[in-house]
Amino acid sequence: MCSAKHIKCVGIVGCGVIGMSWAMFYLSKGLNVVAMDPDSAAEQNLHAYLRDARKAFDANHMALALNLEHLTFTTQIDEHFKQVDFIQENGPERVDIKQQLITQLEQQIADDVIIASSSSGLQVSDFQQKAAHPERIILGHPFNPPHLIPLVEVCGGKLTSRTYTETAMAFYKALGKQPILLNKEITGHIANRLQGALIREVLYLLQENVASAADLDKALAHGPGLRWALMGQFLTSDLGGGKGGLQHFLEHLGGPIESWWADLGTLEKITPELIQLATQGVEKEFQQSDIQPETLQQARDRALVKLINDKQHDPVINRL
């Protein structure tokens, strides 16, 4: 099996938003990339994405080397994939399509090349069953956009060999990612489940007219979100417990927290009416700020690059 340090060429299957961002990430690390998408317009879109996405680095005076000579584009999984050492699959969230892509890939790639799926919710066990070599199929789920956000969730399926998950963990880590290993499969993995729980509550609060969408966003962005950008909930709560740490925090606030849990929203459906209410709230946010979504995304990316860079160079935060 190809070790992490010997991975020099990555195959990108699917060049949607996630696939294009992955391509930029791997190119920025000096790797060769073979990118595939059946849409003939995807190549032009990919080059435009690479050009625009690097602006966040330029704005922070950070050099980002992108050698486009290392990029090969194809509209099908063909002989170009014989040279790849690692696959990052970004196909649609459908088990049958992922099984089909794996079958096509296995006709071209070596038997020991890892196939890492960016699936945001599907479990590896569900789409590795028909593979000739299911032991090398893993989850490699990023957080959007992958070329900026360090998190990658790694997990194997029932037929995955631990050797391959360990190699993937080492590979991602060597490239500067922050990979986490799931001990077992669970729908939605970790980060999306946490995010989903929060989305449910803000939708509930909006539906109950507790606050506007703008104020709900401010409650997160200017409150707990600032701390969460630096450390997770356990360490945040440990610091919140003072000298007694996490134990004191949970013993002191456990009762109140349980009462909050009991009162959390119980939304089971995102109804058309709720979608309209949330959409109108977001539209109002943009109108009040006089900022366009594209401008906000660019500002977000500039701030993310700066924040991530600051975290990486802080001798304490960087160790977490």
Side-chain angles (χ1 to χ4, degrees):
M1 183 179 66
C2 187
S3 64
K5 65 180 180 180
H6 292 116
I7 296 175
K8 305 298 181 183
C9 182
V10 176
I12 301 291
V13 178
C15 291
V17 174
I18 298 298
M20 291 190 295
S21 184
W22 266 126
M24 180 170 183
F25 173 74
Y26 289 124
L27 286 170
S28 72
K29 299 302 179 180
L31 298 176
N32 293 317
V33 170
V34 176
M36 172 272 170
D37 194 285
D39 186 352
S40 58
E43 182 175 13
Q44 183 177 350
N45 294 338
L46 175 57
H47 282 273
Y49 182 93
L50 296 175
R51 181 183 64 250
D52 293 340
R54 69 183 304 165
K55 292 179 181 178
F57 293 86
D58 295 338
N60 284 286
H61 307 289
M62 297 168 60
L64 182 67
L66 284 181
N67 188 345
L68 296 184
E69 293 183 359
H70 291 173
L71 174 64
T72 300
F73 182 85
T74 177
T75 56
Q76 55 187 332
I77 298 174
D78 53 21
E79 65 275 4
H80 289 100
F81 278 81
K82 294 185 183 300
Q83 64 183 299
V84 306
D85 307 308
F86 187 91
I87 296 290
Q88 193 74 52
E89 177 270 317
N90 314 282
E93 285 288 284
R94 283 178 48 183
V95 170
D96 60 332
I97 293 180
K98 292 191 181 298
Q99 289 177 335
Q100 181 181 3
L101 290 173
I102 290 170
T103 297
Q104 294 173 359
L105 284 167
E106 290 192 316
Q107 295 174 3
Q108 302 293 340
I109 63 177
D111 293 346
D112 59 353
V113 171
I114 293 173
I115 300 177
S117 176
S118 296
S119 173
S120 59
L122 298 177
Q123 296 183 14
V124 175
S125 294
D126 292 335
F127 55 80
Q128 72 177 165
Q129 297 174 351
K130 297 182 178 180
H133 295 280
E135 69 277 0
R136 44 84 172 272
I137 299 173
I138 67 166
L139 174 75
H141 174 241
F143 228 52
N144 190 28
H147 72 277
L148 296 182
I149 305 295
L151 177 67
V152 183
E153 297 175 316
V154 177
C155 187
K158 294 178 181 178
L159 303 177
T160 304
S161 168
R162 186 173 180 83
T163 302
Y164 287 98
T165 57
E166 291 174 348
T167 299
M169 288 285 291
F171 173 59
Y172 286 130
K173 189 172 184 178
L175 296 179
K177 286 292 189 182
Q178 291 284 352
I180 61 173
L181 181 63
L182 278 68
N183 295 323
K184 63 179 183 179
E185 294 181 286
I186 187 168
T187 301
H189 321 313
I190 295 176
N192 276 341
R193 289 177 68 94
L194 296 174
Q195 184 172 246
L198 192 54
I199 290 173
R200 180 174 65 179
E201 186 59 20
V202 295
L203 286 173
Y204 174 77
L205 293 173
L206 181 67
Q207 178 179 265
E208 296 299 305
N209 196 28
V210 174
S212 67
D215 282 345
L216 289 169
D217 275 346
K218 288 179 181 178
L220 289 175
H222 300 288
L226 292 173
R227 298 186 303 201
W228 290 336
L230 301 177
M231 64 194 76
Q233 186 61 63
F234 285 120
L235 288 178
T236 296
S237 298
D238 186 74
L239 296 182
K243 292 183 179 180
L246 180 60
Q247 180 174 343
H248 175 71
F249 179 88
L250 292 177
E251 290 176 347
H252 179 65
L253 288 177
I257 290 174
E258 289 172 357
S259 70
W260 304 337
W261 286 345
D263 197 50
L264 289 177
T266 56
L267 289 176
E268 296 182 358
K269 296 286 185 180
I270 300 178
T271 64
E273 293 78 14
L274 186 52
I275 293 175
Q276 182 178 15
L277 182 63
T279 301
Q280 290 174 344
V282 170
E283 290 175 349
K284 189 173 182 179
E285 280 194 81
F286 281 117
Q287 292 171 357
Q288 291 176 337
S289 64
D290 195 28
I291 298 175
Q292 296 299 314
E294 181 178 346
T295 304
L296 180 60
Q297 178 177 325
Q298 293 171 352
R300 179 205 66 181
D301 290 353
R302 289 195 302 270
L304 278 175
V305 170
K306 187 175 186 304
L307 174 62
I308 293 169
N309 187 56
D310 288 345
K311 289 177 64 174
Q312 289 175 341
H313 289 87
D314 187 288
V316 177
I317 297 296
N318 187 44
R319 294 168 61 186
L320 300 176

